[in-house]
Amino acid sequence: AEYSTVRSSSLKLKGKKVKKKKKSKRTQEESQQHAHRNYRHDAWWPISELTQLSGNLLFECEAGSYIMGLDTGGLTASTEHAVDRDGPVAQEVFTVTNVSESRIAIKTAFGRYLSVDFEDGSVDGRAEAIGTQQLFQPVFQGTKIALRAGNKKFLRVRPEQAAVCDAMQADSGTLFQAFSCAERQKKRSKTDYDLKDGSVKATEHDFAKRFQSFEDRKWKVNTDSSRELKTAMREGRLHGELLDRRSKMKADRYCK
C-alpha cells in the first residue's frame, strides 16, 4: 500500500539530452497578433522606453482621447475616443526632440514648442525656440509616461480643458500612453555585429576583443588568410567561421 503513494516517472539517464520544445508557428503568430492589438490605427505602436521617445508621437490621455494643439496656441485633449477613429488628425501629432539624456522638447503641428509659465503653470504652444520653459522630463510608470516641467510639476491634460502643469505627483490626468509611427528597431542579440570598416580582418579583430579573455595583455587573433572569411561572408556563415577560427586559438571563453 505504501508503494502506491510513490509518484511514477520516466527513467532519466545521465547524460541524456532533453529536447527543448520549440514554439509552434501558430503560437508565434498568436503572440504577434496579441502585440498588434495594442497598436493604434495599424501604424502607431506603444512606447515603453525612454530611448523610443522621439520623432512624431501621439499622446493618449487617461480619458482615452489624444492630446491636441490648437491653432490659438492652446493645448487640450479631444473628446473623441482614440480607438473608435480611423486615425489621428494633424493637430494631435507632436514632434519630440531629445535635448539631453533626461529632457525633451515637444513641438506642435503648427511648428511651435510647448511652453510652461512657471508662475501659474499654464501651458501654450507658441514658443519658437527651446529654452528652460520648453523642457520636460519624461517619467515612466510602467508603460505610461508623465511629463515634469521646469516648475517641478507634472503636465495635466483633460478633454475640453486647458492643459496645466500643476500636479506635484504623477496622479489623475497626468499619465499618458505615447505612440510612435517610426519603424521599430529590432533588439540586437549578443552575437550580432557589424562588418567593421568594410574589412573581414578588422571584423575578426573586433570579434576577438568582444569575446576574448585577454590573456598576457595581448589580443590573440588568427593569422591565417582571410580568404575563408570572405567566402563565409558571401555564403552567410561568417559568424560560424569566426568561431571556428577563434576555437583554434584556444583563448576564447565561448570556444572549445
Side-chain angles (χ1 to χ4, degrees):
E2 294 180 0
Y3 292 103
S4 61
T5 61
V6 178
R7 293 179 63 184
S8 61
S9 61
S10 58
L11 182 64
K12 295 181 180 179
L13 301 177
K14 187 176 180 181
K16 184 179 179 181
K17 293 183 179 180
V18 179
K19 292 184 178 180
K20 294 183 178 180
K21 292 183 179 180
K22 294 184 178 180
K23 267 191 175 181
S24 65
K25 187 176 180 181
R26 182 178 177 181
T27 305
Q28 291 176 352
E29 288 177 352
E30 287 176 351
S31 62
Q32 290 175 358
Q33 289 175 0
H34 178 73
H36 198 75
R37 287 174 192 162
N38 295 325
Y39 274 52
R40 289 289 183 271
H41 322 299
D42 294 325
W44 299 80
W45 48 273
I47 285 175
S48 57
E49 299 176 6
L50 183 61
T51 55
Q52 301 170 335
L53 199 64
S54 64
N56 292 337
L57 301 179
L58 299 173
F59 292 96
E60 183 181 84
C61 64
E62 292 175 1
S65 56
Y66 294 133
I67 298 176
M68 65 185 302
L70 304 176
D71 54 6
T72 58
L75 185 73
T76 185
S78 64
T79 56
E80 296 182 81
H81 207 257
V83 295
D84 298 331
R85 298 163 50 189
D86 294 332
V89 296
Q91 295 94 319
E92 295 168 340
V93 180
F94 295 86
T95 303
V96 172
T97 302
N98 296 102
V99 180
S100 68
E101 292 183 357
S102 60
R103 297 292 187 276
I104 63 172
I106 305 173
K107 185 188 288 186
T108 70
F110 301 99
R112 303 296 175 92
Y113 292 96
L114 295 185
S115 182
V116 180
D117 188 317
F118 291 167
E119 292 185 5
D120 60 11
S122 60
V123 182
D124 64 62
R126 301 187 182 93
E128 297 182 359
I130 300 174
T132 55
Q133 291 180 287
Q134 289 74 45
L135 298 180
F136 292 87
Q137 178 187 6
V139 179
F140 275 91
Q141 291 194 11
T143 59
K144 298 293 181 69
I145 182 175
L147 298 172
R148 192 168 184 253
N151 63 350
K152 298 182 180 180
K153 296 181 180 179
F154 290 96
L155 175 67
R156 190 193 306 274
V157 186
R158 291 193 175 105
E160 297 187 309
Q161 295 183 21
V164 61
C165 283
D166 65 349
M168 295 300 296
Q169 296 180 341
D171 53 16
S172 177
T174 66
L175 294 174
F176 314 103
Q177 176 65 68
F179 294 89
S180 172
C181 63
E183 184 178 354
R184 301 198 74 165
Q185 299 294 325
K186 292 183 179 180
K187 290 186 178 180
R188 295 166 64 93
S189 66
K190 294 181 179 180
T191 57
D192 285 346
Y193 54 89
D194 297 317
L195 189 63
K196 190 174 180 65
D197 300 326
S199 167
V200 289
K201 287 297 288 184
T203 301
E204 183 176 29
H205 188 270
D206 185 60
F207 187 80
K209 286 170 66 177
R210 288 180 58 185
F211 299 107
Q212 197 174 127
S213 58
F214 198 51
E215 295 177 357
D216 303 326
R217 296 279 180 180
K218 292 181 180 179
W219 298 118
K220 298 183 179 181
V221 183
N222 195 304
T223 57
D224 294 345
S225 171
S226 61
R227 185 178 300 174
E228 293 179 356
L229 288 176
K230 293 178 181 178
T231 302
M233 183 179 67
R234 287 194 298 268
E235 296 176 356
R237 53 181 182 84
L238 179 59
H239 181 260
E241 183 64 28
L242 287 171
L243 281 176
D244 289 342
R245 289 166 69 93
R246 285 298 311 135
S247 64
K248 295 176 183 178
M249 303 300 296
K250 295 184 179 180
D252 194 331
R253 59 195 171 117
Y254 288 103
C255 295
K256 300 174 183 179

